[in-house]
Amino acid sequence: MRYLPLNENDRVAMLDVIGAKSIDYLFQDVPEKARLETLVDLPKHQSEQAIERHMAKLSAKSVSAGSVPFFCGAGAYKHHIPATVDHLIQRSEFLTAYTPYQPEISQGTLQALFEFQTQVALLTGMDVANASMYDGSTACAEAVVMAKRVTRKSRAILAPGLHPHYAAATQTLASTLDIQIDERDCRPGRDDHVIDHINDDTACVVVQSPNVFGEIIDLAPIAEKAHKHKALLIAVFTEPVALGAIKSPGEQGADIVVGEGQGLGVGLNFGGPHVGLFACTKKLVRQMPGRLCGETVDANGERGFVLTLSTREQHIRREKATSNICTNSGLCCLAFTIHMSLLGDAGLKRLAALNHEAACHLADVIDGIHGAEVMNESFFNEFTVKLNKPAADVVEALAKKGVLGGVPVSRLTEGNEDLLLVCATETSSEEDIHAFEKALTEVLS
Amino acid sequence: MNNEGRPTTPVAINSNERLTVSGSKGLDQAVNLIFEIGTPRRTGVDLPEPKGRASRLGGQERTGEIGLPGLSEPETMRHYVRLSQKNYAIDLGIYPLGSCTMKHNPRLNEKVARMPGFADVHPLQPTSTVQGALELMHQLSHWLMTLCNMPAVALTPKAGAHGELCGMMAIRARLDADGQSQRRRVLVPESAHGTNPATAVQCGFTVDEIPASGDGRVNLDALREKLKESDDVAGIMLTNPNTCGLFERDIVEIADLIHGAGGYFYCDGANFNALVGRVRPGDLGVDAMHINLHKTFSTPHGGGGPGSGPTVLSDALKDFAPLPFVVKDADGFRLVEHEGGEAEGSFGRMCAFHGQMGMYSRALTYMMSHGSDGLKQATEDAVLNANYIQSSLSDVMTVAFEGTCMHEALFDDRFLKDTGVDTLDFAKAMIDEGYHPMTMYFPLVVHGAMLIEPTESESKGELDRFILTMRSLAERAKAGEAESFKQAPVYAPMRRLDETKAARNPVLRWTPPVEE
Ligand SMILES: Cc1ncc(COP(=O)(O)O)c(C=O)c1O
């Protein structure tokens, strides 16, 4: 087996040093009835070439986003990732390092995390950000749990436009922690109504902008009302590129901001790994979940970085920890940071503008198709289309014509059968949009 | 993994080092923060000029500078390559972090993970267009269930701790379904990883610690005592091999006791690398166990993640598995994504989409490369390597518990008694010798713990060199060379870092320097 350096002579010599007659001696603590005498019923080892062939065949059974006109969003976005990003994250020193517990020989990872935290804080308009969560949805769930800790209240309001998967992940975690979540009606055009539900019992209001329907929400009045009742505003986003074009949640009064960072530097990956972003105000930092990297000095007085404030975390605090998270999304943070470093303010704003422009163009095109109507007053790079047929059927029919034409809302949550979520990015060419127009016109007629 | 050790405030030293004008020292290049290199106006990407159409942003335009520095492509490349060179890595040398299983990361896995049918597919494309991806998930499930002899696996958990959450949620759901909602106490050995008690609490359980016996295993009498005449026990969370690197000899009896008391057996599978192909958790009475694909099945650790924690479930728990899951039927593969119907008992969704596809493809590639024979051999070599280290160091260091170990060897700090050197100093001295230290101060049940896990990836030659170094360090410590240990490391990119200062006055982001 090509990955195993020991040979039979080594093994015999080593057993001899141990004083064991055979390898079985080292497994003597295993109860007899649980000792496997034969190989498990699985194929034997295979060459690199054989595996590559098997996997390439499997890969070919799916239609990749880059191979067709592609318009899916709803929480995962297709963007161009500069070649530099994938090269750098594959460097051995980043790829094959563990969590930076020995800071003297982990400054590469640690400094990148410090840069990441700063970029996320700037992007969201918040004071501080942590070193990532698993993804946007788990970050959202953890934020609600954190709001309970901070406010000592246990009622959470989830806006109707919160991504249904985020709401579900939050509901799952909340259900065991005595957090009551208000019923919500996942439909477009209703997020403003959350204001009417905020009262003194409210621990937090969770509002996504742009929301799952693509609508951009004015968070400021919601923040104001929440604060009046000593509740927190948790702002959510699923597309980081949007923050290059729209107001940051921080400037609108959010207390905690959580979101998905995949859109910068990380590929679609069929939904994972992605990278959860988590930011908050300075005053809440000791209640935050997850790892934090901080600046310090070494014995020579030189600037360096370490993991810090770990008394919040499970390995020190155990059952009193703010979360059970340990491994996070390390390498995806690095990809995010490198992509963001390449972009800078200027690049991000331009990228955002191109996304918005592509979506505006697509919206105009779709509005001109009989049987399709764009519902949004506002949007960034995705919007909701009302169709004259069930969206799930339309999407299947489009796929047969070689177009991946968006995500039916019914895929995410039951109901809303006639609604389709459509997304355009800088990768959507004029040709792609034209192909979509043609296919959709045929399918709807 | 907990090996952060104790916060340290470094002792000031008289460095005789010659300072350089540039701040670099040969190949060790000085590196600033991106905020000190780039400017918001510079960019390293070429994007076309937007045409400036009407905005449909609902009056929410972001105006003003965000403050994100941009770097040209060569600057970016150089910055991150320089940073990378300040990291230790498994590709550089042995990375013996106990409980972390830092093994070789084959590059074939990276290549496969980047195939377009896995990497460039959207999670919400019509399932008819992602049959290959679903088939891969199905195959992975088959391998995991077979290796564990368990009837079901939930793939979605995103790391070990998330898998723990999955298993404990399933247990809770089952208890509630059986009208056993008074069962809210979870037994956790004191040697457990911090994620175990943290998870139990995150599922709304209370934690009851079980003490260890003198041989580093669960104290059976204490366990019996805790279960006596109780009807509030939800289950036990037990790591096997445990965090002392020892197989829990009485595991079948422990499972029987828990089941007899009406509870369930959660097994923390972080140490599955010691069992694969030789022992199946399903044969031990386990009800749920997470598998860290980023440990046992070699998906790279990436400086802290991403991971993946598929969780195998017993017959008793499988109906409560989280959404979504893959089903194979006559027409191919499909996803069950909504509550009700086939997912009647499901405790719900743990995250958006379907879990860590990028890790599934790597882990399956790894498993298929090894095959049933290679996986068993890898397990045996991992256990052999750990015992070889333990035996070769047992006369100069103090082995925490008598007898052979599994895939990791646990030492305590008795051999450092009265030397003035502590576990942390010893670890830092290893850095000067070119090694990443072992896990330190974990598990908490032994004093000054040093947990060494070499994995199967090390050759005998590499182990011999490591052993020689460790022996000589132990001897130097005993010979009264404490001072040099306190100074260590001196050959790393940085001297010891002041963790106390970092925590007392947290600086968690860069801010522009204040002008005087
Ligand atoms: C024994 C044990 N349990 C659980 C975990 C948690 O796994 P993860 O970091 O993948 O969440 C770890 C690893 O860090 C571990 O060593």
Side-chain angles (χ1 to χ4, degrees):
Chain A
M1 213 287 126
R2 59 188 179 278
Y3 300 145
L4 301 175
L6 297 186
N7 63 31
E8 270 319 304
N9 290 340
D10 295 332
R11 293 184 182 115
V12 170
M14 291 164 75
L15 282 171
D16 198 44
V17 169
I18 297 163
K21 282 186 291 296
S22 77
I23 191 74
D24 292 340
Y25 180 79
L26 301 178
F27 288 85
Q28 61 191 336
D29 286 339
V30 179
E32 230 159 288
K33 73 161 217 186
R35 291 182 197 164
L36 266 187
E37 302 299 342
T38 56
L39 289 180
V40 284
D41 186 16
L42 290 165
K44 294 238 175 97
H45 71 273
Q46 292 180 58
S47 70
E48 182 163 322
Q49 196 183 327
I51 303 282
E52 200 175 317
R53 192 175 303 142
H54 173 87
M55 291 296 178
K57 267 193 203 150
L58 266 188
S59 168
K61 289 188 194 174
S62 295
V63 180
S64 66
S67 65
V68 290
F70 177 88
F71 301 92
C72 303
Y77 302 90
K78 178 173 154 55
H79 292 290
H80 174 75
I81 302 172
T84 307
V85 175
D86 198 43
H87 171 81
L88 284 170
I89 67 167
Q90 283 198 75
R91 278 195 64 99
S92 289
E93 301 90 332
F94 287 132
L95 184 74
T96 78
Y98 201 76
T99 304
Y101 289 129
Q102 296 288 346
E104 298 85 356
I105 45 173
S106 310
Q107 285 300 303
T109 298
L110 285 161
Q111 182 171 328
L113 283 177
F114 189 78
E115 293 176 353
F116 169 81
Q117 289 176 183
T118 307
Q119 287 172 333
V120 174
L122 288 167
L123 186 69
T124 55
M126 302 302 284
D127 299 329
V128 285
N130 76 7
S132 84
M133 307 299 283
Y134 305 131
D135 71 355
S137 69
T138 59
C140 178
E142 293 264 18
V144 169
V145 175
M146 173 171 156
K148 180 185 175 189
R149 266 198 311 277
V150 170
T151 61
R152 297 168 195 277
K153 295 190 274 186
S154 60
R155 212 183 116 233
I157 300 172
L158 310 188
L162 178 64
H163 192 294
H165 286 179
Y166 286 46
T170 303
Q171 177 71 52
T172 300
L173 201 57
S175 67
T176 56
L177 292 173
D178 295 325
I179 296 174
Q180 293 87 46
I181 293 191
D182 286 10
E183 284 285 324
R184 61 183 206 122
D185 186 8
C186 186
R187 273 193 285 158
R190 308 193 138 233
D191 283 349
D192 298 346
H193 300 266
V194 294
I195 288 207
D196 305 332
H197 297 272
I198 301 171
N199 60 34
D200 284 344
D201 294 335
T202 309
C204 60
V205 208
V206 185
V207 187
Q208 180 179 327
S209 178
N211 69 12
V212 71
F213 301 105
E215 301 162 322
I216 297 166
I217 310 301
D218 185 1
L219 300 173
I222 305 174
E224 196 178 317
K225 176 91 184 274
H227 295 158
K228 212 173 277 170
H229 292 276
K230 297 199 169 19
L232 304 185
L233 171 64
I234 299 174
V236 181
F237 60 92
T238 58
E239 166 61 295
V241 178
L243 296 180
I246 66 170
K247 270 187 202 158
S248 73
E251 48 183 310
Q252 299 181 79
D255 300 282
I256 303 175
V257 180
V258 290
E260 177 53 64
Q262 173 271 330
L264 288 170
V266 183
L268 292 168
N269 290 328
F270 199 43
H274 288 176
V275 48
L277 310 183
F278 197 116
C280 67
T281 56
K282 206 169 184 173
K283 140 172 142 219
L284 301 180
V285 72
R286 282 172 199 272
Q287 292 298 334
M288 236 182 177
R291 296 180 181 137
L292 284 165
C293 170
E295 184 183 315
T296 187
V297 293
D298 77 352
N300 286 345
E302 286 190 44
R303 177 172 71 188
F305 304 92
V306 293
L307 292 181
T308 193
L309 297 185
S310 38
T311 49
R312 300 163 299 112
E313 291 183 75
Q314 45 75 26
H315 61 282
I316 304 288
R317 237 1 211 302
R318 299 177 76 84
E319 65 261 36
K320 296 199 180 65
T322 53
S323 164
N324 71 340
I325 193 170
C326 180
T327 293
N328 56 22
S329 289
L331 202 68
C332 301
C333 302
L334 182 66
F336 177 99
T337 286
I338 297 169
H339 194 179
M340 192 68 110
S341 303
L342 282 165
L343 288 168
D345 253 49
L348 179 68
K349 284 181 177 158
R350 181 171 282 201
L351 178 64
L354 289 170
N355 272 258
H356 187 51
E357 190 168 281
C360 287
H361 174 42
L362 180 64
D364 289 344
V365 167
I366 289 181
D367 250 343
I369 297 174
H370 183 74
E373 179 199 342
V374 174
M375 296 182 72
N376 296 52
E377 276 172 31
S378 64
F379 58 85
F380 169 62
N381 68 356
E382 62 184 326
F383 49 85
T384 307
V385 182
K386 197 175 164 84
L387 300 173
N388 63 2
K389 291 185 176 165
D393 298 346
V394 170
V395 158
E396 280 293 343
L398 287 171
K400 291 215 173 71
K401 293 179 180 291
V403 173
L404 292 174
V407 177
V409 173
S410 62
R411 178 84 189 262
L412 297 171
T413 179
E414 271 144 324
N416 295 304
E417 273 81 11
D418 54 347
L419 300 187
L420 178 68
L421 306 176
V422 176
C423 173
T425 72
E426 81 286 359
T427 65
S428 314
S429 68
E430 191 60 49
E431 232 180 317
D432 291 344
I433 290 177
H434 188 70
F436 190 18
E437 179 183 19
K438 183 165 174 285
L440 189 61
T441 308
E442 287 165 13
V443 169
L444 294 181
S445 67
Chain B
M1 210 15 294
N2 164 23
N3 46 8
E4 186 159 54
R6 305 291 166 255
T8 53
T9 310
V11 273
I13 52 121
N14 286 325
S15 171
N16 296 328
E17 249 181 294
R18 194 163 53 83
L19 296 177
T20 59
V21 180
S22 64
S24 300
K25 292 172 211 138
L27 286 182
D28 181 5
Q29 297 278 323
V31 40
N32 288 323
L33 288 161
I34 48 171
F35 309 97
E36 297 155 345
I37 306 169
T39 73
R41 246 168 286 159
R42 196 178 319 163
T43 181
V45 293
D46 288 326
L47 291 167
E49 180 92 41
K51 296 189 197 78
R53 274 176 211 269
S55 160
R56 296 176 68 173
L57 297 171
Q60 295 283 310
E61 288 79 5
R62 187 168 195 161
T63 49
E65 196 166 88
I66 303 173
L68 296 160
L71 278 65
S72 67
E73 189 174 305
E75 289 171 305
T76 306
M77 185 62 86
R78 211 167 263 172
H79 178 72
Y80 289 102
V81 168
R82 283 176 179 174
L83 274 186
S84 77
Q85 294 190 323
K86 300 187 187 302
N87 267 5
Y88 194 88
I90 184 71
D91 285 350
L92 199 62
I94 179 171
Y95 212 128
L97 276 176
S99 208
C100 301
T101 315
M102 290 296 282
K103 57 170 71 179
H104 172 57
N105 299 145
R107 290 313 193 274
L108 173 63
N109 305 356
E110 295 304 306
K111 191 171 181 184
V112 168
R114 286 169 172 76
M115 288 180 176
F118 311 134
D120 192 30
V121 280
H122 190 282
L124 302 172
Q125 283 178 215
T127 49
S128 59
T129 67
V130 291
Q131 287 295 302
L134 296 176
E135 188 172 347
L136 186 141
M137 289 166 74
H138 194 260
Q139 286 180 8
L140 176 73
S141 301
H142 175 70
W143 278 74
L144 295 175
M145 291 188 299
T146 306
L147 290 172
C148 293
N149 192 26
M150 297 283 276
V153 60
L155 289 185
T156 52
K158 291 193 164 260
H162 210 218
E164 293 173 29
L165 202 60
C166 173
M168 296 310 286
M169 290 273 184
I171 289 172
R172 189 173 155 130
R174 168 80 206 222
L175 290 170
D176 289 352
D178 290 348
Q180 293 287 307
S181 303
Q182 83 287 1
R183 294 187 175 273
R184 289 290 181 260
R185 181 159 60 103
V186 172
L187 305 176
V188 183
E190 52 182 359
S191 62
H193 192 257
T195 50
N196 293 185
T199 298
V201 167
Q202 213 163 18
C203 291
F205 293 118
T206 57
V207 173
D208 190 3
E209 276 205 352
I210 342 173
S213 60
D215 66 352
R217 292 165 173 94
V218 168
N219 184 330
L220 266 193
D221 290 334
L223 175 62
R224 280 198 197 91
E225 195 57 37
K226 300 243 179 229
L227 296 175
K228 209 151 88 197
E229 289 160 34
S230 75
D231 75 340
D232 66 336
V233 172
I236 188 170
M237 295 183 86
L238 182 66
T239 312
N240 188 46
N242 67 23
T243 59
C244 303
L246 305 172
F247 197 94
E248 290 283 352
R249 280 185 213 113
D250 301 318
I251 188 158
V252 173
E253 194 170 355
I254 293 171
D256 289 345
L257 282 171
I258 281 292
H259 291 148
Y264 293 91
F265 179 4
Y266 186 85
C267 183
D268 179 330
N271 294 337
F272 192 40
N273 204 44
L275 306 181
V276 180
R278 281 201 69 119
V279 182
R280 300 178 302 182
D283 297 338
L284 301 170
V286 167
D287 289 299
M289 182 182 93
H290 76 260
I291 299 165
N292 303 64
L293 296 186
H294 48 300
K295 297 181 179 179
T296 311
F297 298 119
S298 180
T299 73
H301 232 286
S308 180
T311 303
V312 288
L313 298 169
S314 66
D315 270 319
L317 300 182
K318 68 176 198 293
D319 291 344
F320 303 90
L323 294 166
F325 48 86
V326 180
V327 176
K328 183 182 184 202
D329 52 31
D331 306 329
F333 300 90
R334 62 191 169 83
L335 276 164
V336 176
E337 296 177 286
H338 297 291
E339 286 175 21
E342 291 158 280
E344 182 73 61
S346 171
F347 70 73
R349 182 177 272 281
M350 300 192 73
C351 56
F353 313 129
H354 334 303
Q356 307 284 69
M357 183 64 183
M359 306 293 115
Y360 305 157
S361 50
R362 288 175 174 90
L364 184 61
T365 301
Y366 172 91
M367 287 193 273
M368 292 183 71
S369 297
H370 279 79
S372 56
D373 50 339
L375 288 172
K376 177 165 183 269
Q377 187 66 59
T379 298
E380 292 175 358
D381 286 357
V383 172
L384 181 63
N385 280 355
N387 277 283
Y388 184 61
I389 287 179
Q390 178 170 306
S391 295
S392 306
L393 294 178
S394 61
D395 57 333
V396 288
M397 292 170 65
T398 36
V399 177
F401 299 103
E402 259 173 52
T404 60
C405 61
M406 295 299 284
H407 65 304
E408 54 194 354
L410 178 62
F411 298 88
D412 57 26
D413 63 1
R414 279 174 296 161
F415 75 100
L416 294 174
K417 190 163 184 284
D418 301 328
T419 61
V421 175
D422 60 21
T423 294
L424 182 79
D425 301 328
F426 198 86
K428 300 301 182 195
M430 287 171 70
I431 292 177
D432 278 337
E433 295 288 342
Y435 289 113
H436 194 285
M438 63 273 137
T439 290
M440 23 175 232
Y441 300 108
F442 175 81
L444 307 175
V445 286
V446 305
H447 200 268
M450 305 184 192
L451 186 62
I452 303 179
E453 180 179 6
T455 82
E456 69 277 13
S457 303
E458 301 306 324
S459 69
K460 181 166 178 295
E462 195 70 58
L463 292 177
D464 285 336
R465 210 160 60 86
F466 176 74
I467 288 163
L468 200 70
T469 307
M470 295 293 275
R471 293 187 66 88
S472 109
L473 285 178
E475 277 152 14
R476 267 180 45 209
K478 290 177 200 175
E481 292 184 29
E483 195 44 33
S484 72
F485 282 83
K486 294 280 174 215
Q487 298 293 330
V490 293
Y491 296 134
M494 299 229 86
R495 301 292 310 279
R496 267 192 224 191
L497 287 128
D498 191 340
E499 296 182 14
T500 310
K501 174 183 156 75
R504 190 169 297 153
N505 178 23
V507 179
L508 306 174
R509 61 177 284 187
W510 178 83
T511 41
V514 198
E515 291 189 26
E516 319 238 316

